[in-house]
Amino acid sequence: MPFREPIAIMHSLPTLPDFAAFQAWRADPSQWLPAALDIARSEGLPHADPKPFLNGTNLVLALDERLVLKIFPPMLRAQFVSERASLSQLRGRLSIAVPEIVRQGERDQWPYLAITRLHGVLGAQAWPGLPEDQKERVLRRIGETIAEVQRAPLGELSTIEPRWDQLMRRQIDGCRARHTRLGLPRKFLAGLDDFLAAAIPLIPMDAPPVILTGEYIPENFLLGQETGGWQLSGLFDFGDVLTGWGEYDLLGPSAFMTAGMPRRVRSLFEGYGYAAADIGPDLKRRLMALMLLHRQSDPIRHICIEGWQEKADDLFELAELLWPV
């Protein structure tokens, strides 16, 4: 009897009814790892030492020390489009590392990217233990990186939805309901409408757009130890990129990292290109409004200033607390 090659079994990805079902299915890597490894084999990629990443939104698998496979469910195809376009636009344009696309494709309507793996310590792990002078230096470097990203041409990202004016209108319409649901203290809710009415005219709606990640936060960057201490070494996760007014990207580090400390605030803003004199009342009100309108806005859980709810009596005072100089 002639020898026959064993028939390769193609592992399929499922059709899931909604995002909650996807999250439940994703939580058990044994359900999706065979399909992920099958994709790697079909693309001729190494996969001898696979390690699933359980945090994040999509299916993410380190194939080895050099490559990562990222698979997007059909309901999050927009994140695939955003990530692919962002990595293409930023390649070679930044002074820190971002992943490079090695392969791209689709399996059962689930698009995927194989990208280079960045190395370093996740910011969320390293940041709390950094000495204060190194925190200031990292914040300055984050400001510089935001500015570098925003100097890159939009390319395919020029068609990303929603447009800035659409996003702002949608966020304004839902702002009070959102923050009521999330538990913003009554004293801040009481002045919310008046604050927004005064601050929204300060937000440019039709200025030339720039690339926004919306998430320059410790979970999305890597740090490395070099001579003189810790340095920003890599930036990843571009699935939520949009385009719009550049100051929007100062909000993540302002909420999670500057902690209302003047030197940290100045370091971030000077890196971005603003002098201390630029951090005046109009900028603070605009930033406070943008923080309330951010797609992921949740002051209760995101503002990292101990006791901030007792230290400010209204949104104007909260803006002063967040951005002192």
Side-chain angles (χ1 to χ4, degrees), residues 161-201:
E161 298 287 347
R163 297 194 315 268
W164 177 251
D165 59 334
Q166 293 173 331
L167 173 68
M168 287 294 101
R169 283 196 297 270
R170 185 178 72 198
Q171 296 301 101
I172 290 167
D173 290 345
C175 188
R176 170 168 287 278
R178 176 187 183 89
H179 291 294
T180 300
R181 173 173 54 83
L182 292 174
L184 190 67
R186 185 180 300 274
K187 63 180 178 180
F188 298 118
L189 283 172
L192 178 63
D193 294 337
D194 289 343
F195 182 86
L196 289 178
I200 285 171

Side-chain angles (χ1 to χ4, degrees), residues 258-263 265-266 279 284 319-325:
T258 56
M261 300 173 67
R263 288 177 61 92
V265 171
R266 288 198 298 271
I279 313 175
K284 293 179 184 181
E320 294 294 332
L321 187 64
L322 280 160
W323 296 287
V325 290

Side-chain angles (χ1 to χ4, degrees), residues 3-140:
F3 172 78
R4 293 182 180 178
E5 291 283 347
I7 298 173
I9 298 174
M10 178 176 288
H11 294 274
S12 298
L13 289 161
T15 299
L16 298 169
D18 51 37
F19 186 66
F22 165 68
Q23 287 182 304
W25 178 81
R26 175 190 177 278
D28 181 1
S30 68
Q31 297 193 89
W32 53 267
L33 192 56
L37 294 176
D38 195 35
I39 290 171
R41 281 191 292 268
S42 70
E43 292 284 2
L45 299 173
H47 52 277
D49 188 24
K51 290 185 175 62
F53 292 111
L54 299 182
N55 56 337
T57 303
N58 298 285
L59 308 181
V60 184
L61 175 72
L63 297 173
D64 60 10
E65 288 299 308
R66 296 174 297 126
L67 293 175
V68 168
L69 180 63
K70 192 167 184 178
I71 308 171
F72 303 77
M75 64 198 71
L76 297 181
R77 178 175 290 272
Q79 290 199 1
F80 163 77
V81 173
S82 174
E83 182 114 10
R84 180 184 62 185
S86 300
L87 294 180
S88 297
Q89 285 305 111
L90 297 178
R91 182 177 181 181
R93 290 191 166 99
L94 304 184
S95 56
I96 65 168
V98 295
E100 295 186 12
I101 298 172
V102 177
R103 298 278 196 282
Q104 59 181 299
E106 189 169 310
R107 168 75 62 90
D108 301 318
Q109 300 183 41
W110 293 56
Y112 60 82
L113 294 171
I115 56 179
T116 54
R117 185 176 181 181
L118 304 182
H119 292 280
V121 179
L122 189 65
Q125 297 174 355
W127 175 258
L130 264 59
E132 188 58 31
D133 64 328
Q134 294 185 32
K135 288 184 175 179
E136 293 168 11
R137 182 169 59 192
V138 168
L139 281 163
R140 182 178 297 274

